[in-house]
Amino acid sequence: MDKMSSITPEDLADSRERFGAERVNAVAKNAVTSSGIRAAARRPEGVAANALGFDLEVTQGDRCNQERSGRCWMFASLNTMRYRVIKKYNLMTFELSQAYPLFWDKLEKSNWFLQNILDTLDEPLDGRLVSFLLADPIGDGGQWDMFRSLVKKYGVVPKEAMPETACSRNTRELDRYLTRYLRGAAKRLRQSHEAGVGTDDLLAMKKQMMDEVYHLLAVCLGEPPASFSVRLRDKDQKLALSGTFTPQEFFKTAVDMDVDAYVSLISAPTADKPFGHTYTVSRLGNVWEDHGVRYLNLPPAELKRVAIAQLKDDLPVWFGCDVAQSYLQDEGIMDTAALDVDALFGFPVEGCMDKAERLDYGESLMTHAMVLEGVRLDEKGEPTLWKVENSWGKDHGRDGFDTLSDAWFDEYVYQVVVDKKYLTEEERHTYETEEPTVLAPWDPMGSLA
């Protein structure tokens, strides 16, 4: 037996002896087995640093709840837009329909998937690319650029015009059956190609498949309205907006936001993505004719700079992060100083990799999108604490919002979306003119919030 390659009885005896020799190990064991790792690693001093009070703050309406769905990117996007409606018409609160973009996103993602299947008919079925495409064809997640594509094509509607359904509140069944259908459709397209069916006939097959996808979505979510009536009353109960609108007309009238002016900035310090350059991700998107995503990679300090500039103009900021890291979820606190997991175990666990290494080794990526709606600044004007609007309902965190420390921002915020007017002239020129480096479909910057 190779004693250096296997776990031997002697190894186990040594580990048992070393663990029992330190009293602190017994204390840690008792604490963790009773309450869990994060509760035992919780630092009250770190928690205390997250006391409320912000120098810049926008005030939203009632907190929204994505319930059992992965629509955080939609909620975050709509929350930046509903703020404009609340502000423009002096409303107490207002909510845009989240079921409406869900319908169109599933439809567009289905078309995107089938187009990619047609584009990879000669790729091996068990190769990495086709396996990747088949893994999660129409998941709930997305990115800002994908939401921008939806809004430009389909507009938005008030929540009352397309309310939630059982399948939008909990998308598990919808995703399961639509994914099964699409994988079956991919099989039929590939088998037809192998049998010699031509391109035009394959495209005709895909058109029929998309009609069936529409049917499935309409059964689960209802049909999106082509037009609807609106009556909004302000805080004084005066009629602020009324009429009949198409979704595109309502977006233009009520939201009045130039979505093309908003750009995605990422912060990925890996060797393959030098700062100051643009990137895109192969085969990532939803609306086929609107292409995919485009990023400018910058250090965290620059993401903070533009986020603060936009908050100063009384506008919230969409951002994407790895929400599960160093997170006290019940308290709504994201702070690297609020937990000390490494002290609990006695050796580096959280501290065993830096940000770039976490990305390279699959330990971290963007998992959730939310909205920055406030920031606390020190005497030099530098950020110390951020206020976050989440989409997990008013009972989460502190009345539905979280805080994140500036150190947490450095480590786990990967993307912000701001008006490009806040970029420097050089940054704006690079974003608009540089040919982006194409990243592999499985690159961590292609993850969906």
Side-chain angles (χ1 to χ4, degrees), residues 202-319:
L202 290 173
L203 287 170
M205 287 177 62
K206 193 210 76 170
K207 283 288 187 183
Q208 177 61 36
M209 293 168 178
M210 287 304 303
D211 182 66
E212 291 171 348
V213 170
Y214 183 98
H215 180 105
L216 188 154
L217 291 172
V219 168
C220 294
L221 301 172
E223 287 195 271
S227 63
F228 51 90
S229 297
V230 172
R231 290 179 67 83
L232 299 181
R233 294 190 177 275
D234 64 18
K235 294 177 181 178
D236 299 320
Q237 291 302 306
K238 294 179 180 178
L239 192 62
L241 177 67
S242 66
T244 300
F245 300 87
T246 67
Q248 294 87 346
E249 289 169 346
F250 185 76
F251 179 79
K252 183 177 180 181
T253 300
V255 179
D256 190 23
M257 177 180 180
D258 180 8
V259 290
D260 284 327
Y262 283 76
V263 298
S264 292
L265 309 179
I266 61 170
S267 190
T270 50
D272 63 328
K273 302 179 191 71
F275 287 135
H277 295 282
T278 60
Y279 300 88
T280 187
V281 181
S282 175
R283 303 186 187 277
L284 176 62
N286 54 358
V287 178
W288 187 259
E289 65 270 22
D290 209 24
H291 309 296
V293 300
R294 185 183 185 92
Y295 313 130
L296 176 62
N297 193 21
L298 295 173
E302 303 310 308
L303 270 62
K304 297 174 193 176
R305 172 180 59 82
V306 295
I308 291 171
Q310 188 158 301
L311 286 169
K312 285 182 177 178
D313 282 345
D314 198 32
L315 289 171
V317 179
W318 189 107
F319 79 103

Side-chain angles (χ1 to χ4, degrees), residues 11 38 84 176 199 254 266 291 309 402:
D11 293 331
R38 292 196 181 191
R84 293 169 176 266
R176 176 182 178 182
T199 300
I266 61 170
H291 309 296
D402 298 334

Side-chain angles (χ1 to χ4, degrees), residues 31-224:
V32 173
T33 55
S34 298
S35 60
I37 294 173
R38 292 196 181 191
R42 181 183 182 275
R43 294 184 64 252
E45 299 86 356
V47 171
N50 286 265
L52 304 181
F54 301 92
D55 297 294
L56 300 173
E57 188 172 4
V58 299
T59 303
Q60 284 276 40
D62 297 337
R63 303 294 166 177
C64 302
N65 193 344
Q66 68 185 77
E67 300 192 56
R68 299 180 66 183
S69 71
R71 295 176 290 166
C72 61
W73 63 294
M74 292 183 175
F75 275 74
S77 301
L78 291 170
N79 283 342
T80 65
M81 294 175 182
R82 74 174 179 135
Y83 178 75
R84 293 169 176 266
V85 182
I86 292 171
K87 186 177 178 181
K88 181 175 183 178
Y89 297 107
N90 192 31
L91 307 179
M92 287 291 293
T93 189
F94 179 75
E95 203 167 338
L96 291 161
S97 170
Q98 301 92 4
Y100 180 78
L102 178 67
F103 183 101
W104 297 120
D105 182 58
K106 295 296 186 189
L107 189 74
E108 292 286 353
K109 277 179 179 169
S110 297
N111 183 65
W112 183 277
F113 168 73
L114 293 177
Q115 282 296 134
N116 274 287
I117 291 299
L118 291 173
D119 192 47
T120 56
L121 291 172
D122 294 319
E123 293 282 337
L125 182 62
D126 60 353
R128 186 172 189 183
L129 178 55
V130 177
S131 296
F132 177 84
L133 294 174
L134 291 169
D136 189 16
I138 45 85
D140 287 355
Q143 296 202 12
W144 163 259
D145 286 2
M146 296 163 67
F147 195 83
R148 177 179 59 197
S149 296
L150 293 174
V151 168
K152 288 172 65 176
K153 187 169 183 177
Y154 297 107
V156 298
V157 305
K159 191 160 189 172
E160 294 78 8
M162 189 169 179
E164 295 286 285
T165 72
C167 290
S168 65
R169 294 188 188 96
N170 185 344
T171 54
R172 183 177 180 180
E173 287 187 334
L174 166 60
D175 288 348
R176 176 182 178 182
Y177 288 109
L178 180 53
T179 296
R180 182 165 181 159
Y181 174 84
L182 289 172
R183 286 172 178 157
K187 178 208 71 171
R188 298 200 305 274
L189 290 172
R190 287 180 65 91
Q191 288 179 343
S192 297
H193 171 67
E194 291 169 3
V197 175
T199 300
D200 289 345
D201 289 333
L202 290 173
L203 287 170
M205 287 177 62
K206 193 210 76 170
K207 283 288 187 183
Q208 177 61 36
M209 293 168 178
M210 287 304 303
D211 182 66
E212 291 171 348
V213 170
Y214 183 98
H215 180 105
L216 188 154
L217 291 172
V219 168
C220 294
L221 301 172
E223 287 195 271

